[in-house]
Amino acid sequence: MLIREYQASDCKELAELFYDTVHRVNARDYTKEQLDVWATGQVDLEKWNQTLKEHYSVVVVEDNTVVGFGDIDRTGYLDRLYVHADYQGRGVATEICNRLEQAAQGDILTHASITARPFFEKRGYKVVKEQQVERQGILLTNYVMIKGGRQG
């Protein structure tokens, strides 16, 4: 397993991994309607590339295939964390999180899906609040979670 920093040439593959992961892994906690508005298949690659370059972003590669990625911004907001459906439970997310958390100064904040909440809780994150996020008129439940002393 190779962990490296994000490169612009990764963007399209990461967008595809994001779509596939949401529709295969998160399907156990969200309806098809919710999954379709969360990951529409129409990612703005230019915008994704820009934010992935601005954030500290890492990619995990195994056998020349991207199997996971994540990013964190300068404020400690852990934005994306996705692992290929076929590589779940192999420590990929743990490796990504270790790198992202080491890059952060101070507390770390994330908006965790129902699916990801137990993973973050095992890492010491606490739920600050449950929230409903609206996408195209459809509500999705997620959790504002924090690791550190700051309260939201």
Side-chain angles (χ1 to χ4, degrees), residues 53-93:
K53 286 193 310 191
E54 289 170 1
H55 298 174
Y56 176 64
S57 304
V58 295
V59 174
V60 179
V61 180
E62 195 168 288
D63 299 326
N64 296 317
T65 301
V66 173
V67 299
F69 72 98
D71 64 305
I72 193 166
D73 73 11
R74 288 180 185 87
T75 70
Y77 175 63
L78 196 158
D79 189 359
R80 287 162 281 218
L81 176 62
Y82 292 94
V83 175
H84 191 290
D86 297 339
Y87 290 81
Q88 298 282 315
R90 297 191 192 178
V92 177

Side-chain angles (χ1 to χ4, degrees), residues 29-31 33-34 37-38 110-114 117 127-145:
D29 297 304
Y30 295 88
T31 67
E33 188 178 41
Q34 289 172 318
V37 296
W38 178 0
T110 195
H111 293 183
S113 66
I114 296 167
R117 178 181 170 177
V127 173
V128 175
K129 67 176 179 178
E130 178 178 323
Q131 64 184 5
Q132 300 292 317
V133 179
E134 186 196 329
R135 296 267 159 78
Q136 300 173 35
I138 306 294
L139 294 177
L140 300 152
T141 299
N142 72 14
Y143 303 93
V144 177
M145 299 184 77

